[in-house]
Amino acid sequence: MKKIIKKIAIVIALINCFSPVLYSQNGYKLGIDYQFYQIWNFSEGLAAVEKDGKWGFIDKTGNLVIDYQFNDAGRFCEGLGNVKKNGKFGYIDKNGKLVIDYQFDGAWVFCEGLAPVKKGEKYGYIDKTGKLVINYQFDEAWLFYEGLAYVKKNGSWGYIDKTGKLVINYQFNEARRFSEGLAAVKKGWKWCFIDKTGKLIINYQFDDAGFFSEGLAYVKKNWKWGYIDKTGKLVIDYQFDEANIFSEGLAYVKKNEKLGYIDKIGKLVIDYQFNEARSFSEGLAAVKKGWKWGFIARYTLIERIKEYVETGILEWQKKGEFEKTADYTLRVNEQARNAKVEELTTEAIASLKKEYILTIITSDMVLKDYDADNEVYLISSESLGNLTIPVPIADAPSFKQNFAKVKFEDYDFSIADNAFQLARLTVNNPANSKKYRYDSKEPVTYAANNIIYNFSPIEVDIPKEKQKTQTAQVKSNTITVGLADVDVNIPSTTKINNNFFAVIIANENYRREAPVPFAINDGRIFREYCVNTLGIPKAQIHLIENATLNDLRHEISWISSVMKTQKGEANIIFYYAGHGIPNEATKKAYLLPTDGFSADFTTGYALEDIYVQLGKLPAQSITYFIDACFSGAKREEGMLASARGVSIKVKESSLIGNTVAFTAASDEQTAYPYYEKGHGLFTYFLLKKLQETKGEVTYEELANYISDKVSKTSVIVNSKLQSPTMKANSILQDKWKNWMLK
């Protein structure tokens, strides 16, 4: 069998693999045997399981890590797990050590730093030290998600924030948690979906409803469950007796008293065969057959091919009942067996390709900028990755104008890294009946335009003319077109700054709002200083230009994941240049993604949420450079939302953790551009100080320099005041003043 595996590997290695990664898994295998009486899913590498009336915790190999000793157990979240002994709940760490004493009559897991607990008949919330943060007052309570938790008082449900303040009034018969910005709630006999302001987004129409996950929510009508998208459109028909969330691409559903798993187009991936089931988590899902629970894992693509080949070989190498031995030995030998392996491998791949093509989504394809020099368009797709399509320059305008109508045809795929990858694709433009081809085997150069001028000064002398009735004084004007002084001669260091990680967001071109002049140049040059002057490795810097809301979420998730592996020995730099917007009701500040609406703060990313999410991380320091204002003003004057008319003073967001925040402007001020330098005014002087000091500058020196230079220059250049601010978490006292970026 080792030779079979080796042969498969050789065949797959010969298949082209230079293209965007795609993956569609089908089928499953038993990961941990059916042996448990009760079970919870894996979370943070461990799962609670029950045997003989006691609960313990296993790892993903099935080994017992924390002994069977508890009367009940939940799951681990944020490093702690809720467990029960002698009638009371407490919390343990992943070594089984008791961290918060057994004292609660009920307890849920921690989420966003807080956990709902019960004493007597009422629920409150504790932090991870066990301190009561929100008093015992609720009849029922649930976890915090996206900053809000749903709680029950006097028979009705409402939503509170993490201070315990009621944000959405007690008015619902039932409620669900917020997910992807929406929550399902029930009034009377019907369910709907609301946003975090309580505004109705998807009308009351469902008999029951769950919550959104991976873009879809499960809802019930006329006794059957289906799935909708965030516009309320039905995506998977009402057909299931039970349904649940999508996790890792699959959701478990019920038909005819059995549970199986479907993918996001509604295709059955794992047959209806289980008595009970849970969602996939960390690659495994808890399932029940008969009276016992176990864990299943999804087949990888290679495992499916291997199984197909093994089954075929076992059948092929059997001696036929009426086959002579001499004929058998001629038919079945090493050479023939290798050829059969190759044949079966080809068959398996062809079959899986047909199966996979059905799952391809082309509706998410977005046309990017055209590279006129190389005559290539870039197409971006969540399903397919980035595709470079050669389009002659004469055809380019028509291709762009009719992109919404083009057809994607003639797919073919290869295999690499245990996944399908796009190998070939044809784009058909019906407007001119021409076809354009993507082929992973053909190298294509695509270069996004980034034109930088660095000319010597141009002297323009305007000659004096004789005037009959008026004497005019005409001076010689000098016009300079070129790079700013901070864009060239960027200092270099030989020091490798391995303990710094940076996220740089440069939002210049908005879909629905005015652009932010020079924001992309701000981000790019700041990245150059991070690499060259501060010595941060390129792989530890993420520069995102024109970031959407999902881009922002992804980058916060990335830096969070990184910090959790660094054991408190790393530092974060978060830089943002772009629009900021206020919530007029709460006066909270929001970063505006390029796909957001200035008039709708829910399409933004709350700065306070970023402060909380990053502040909770185990980092030595977290430094924010925010070149944006939150008054509703644009960088180049005027207001973002035409209906607003006046600038708004936002309240300061609280800092947590080892955090320092440098921001471009105060109160209702505007964060102006510095046209002469091709940067935001705040960013220019940030870069200038890094250039002058070669990065050897303390935070106190940097703060004083930026504040002084920006204030003075803004009054001269813009005739208006811009006063940058610097704020540090109070727990740091004066420690931050001597911090440095290298």
Side-chain angles (χ1 to χ4, degrees), residues 509-529:
N509 300 312
Y510 283 77
R511 297 182 187 177
R512 306 171 185 90
E513 307 295 344
V516 178
F518 314 125
I520 286 179
N521 193 41
D522 286 343
R524 289 176 180 174
I525 301 302
F526 182 69
R527 179 183 182 276
E528 293 302 309
Y529 275 84

Side-chain angles (χ1 to χ4, degrees), residues 310-415:
E310 286 177 337
T311 302
I313 287 293
L314 288 173
E315 187 63 31
W316 171 80
Q317 65 189 16
K318 288 179 182 177
K319 185 176 180 296
E321 181 181 1
F322 306 107
E323 186 176 22
K324 290 181 177 292
T325 300
D327 294 334
Y328 174 75
T329 54
L330 283 174
R331 181 177 67 84
V332 180
N333 54 59
E334 185 69 21
Q335 184 177 358
R337 193 168 184 268
N338 289 341
K340 190 65 177 177
V341 166
E342 206 166 303
E343 176 190 330
L344 291 169
T345 301
T346 303
E347 285 179 12
I349 292 171
S351 176
L352 290 171
K353 280 183 186 178
K354 290 179 181 178
E355 187 177 295
Y356 182 68
I357 287 172
L358 297 175
T359 70
I360 293 301
I361 301 170
T362 57
S363 60
D364 69 347
M365 290 192 177
V366 178
L367 187 65
K368 298 294 187 179
D369 293 336
Y370 184 66
D371 177 1
D373 293 329
N374 295 299
E375 300 190 24
V376 172
Y377 262 117
L378 181 69
I379 296 176
S380 177
S381 164
E382 290 185 11
S383 305
L384 300 172
N386 288 326
L387 314 177
T388 49
I389 311 291
V391 178
I393 198 165
D395 297 350
S398 174
F399 190 91
K400 180 177 182 178
Q401 184 178 356
N402 296 283
F403 184 72
K405 302 175 184 178
V406 301
K407 296 180 180 179
F408 299 94
E409 306 167 341
D410 190 25
Y411 295 96
D412 195 11
F413 301 92
S414 59
I415 297 175

Side-chain angles (χ1 to χ4, degrees), residues 40-55:
W40 289 108
N41 258 351
F42 276 94
S43 177
E44 299 185 359
L46 299 179
V49 294
E50 182 194 5
K51 271 190 177 181
D52 301 323
K54 292 291 184 180
W55 288 80

Side-chain angles (χ1 to χ4, degrees), residues 24 26 214 216 227 235-237 239-240 246 249-251 262-269 354-363 383:
S24 176
N26 296 280
E214 299 183 6
L216 300 179
Y227 289 84
V235 175
I236 301 174
D237 287 338
Q239 57 183 294
F240 308 111
F246 276 94
L250 297 182
I262 60 170
D263 64 18
K264 290 168 73 175
I265 62 170
K267 179 185 174 186
L268 186 66
V269 172
K354 290 179 181 178
E355 187 177 295
Y356 182 68
I357 287 172
L358 297 175
T359 70
I360 293 301
I361 301 170
T362 57
S363 60
S383 305

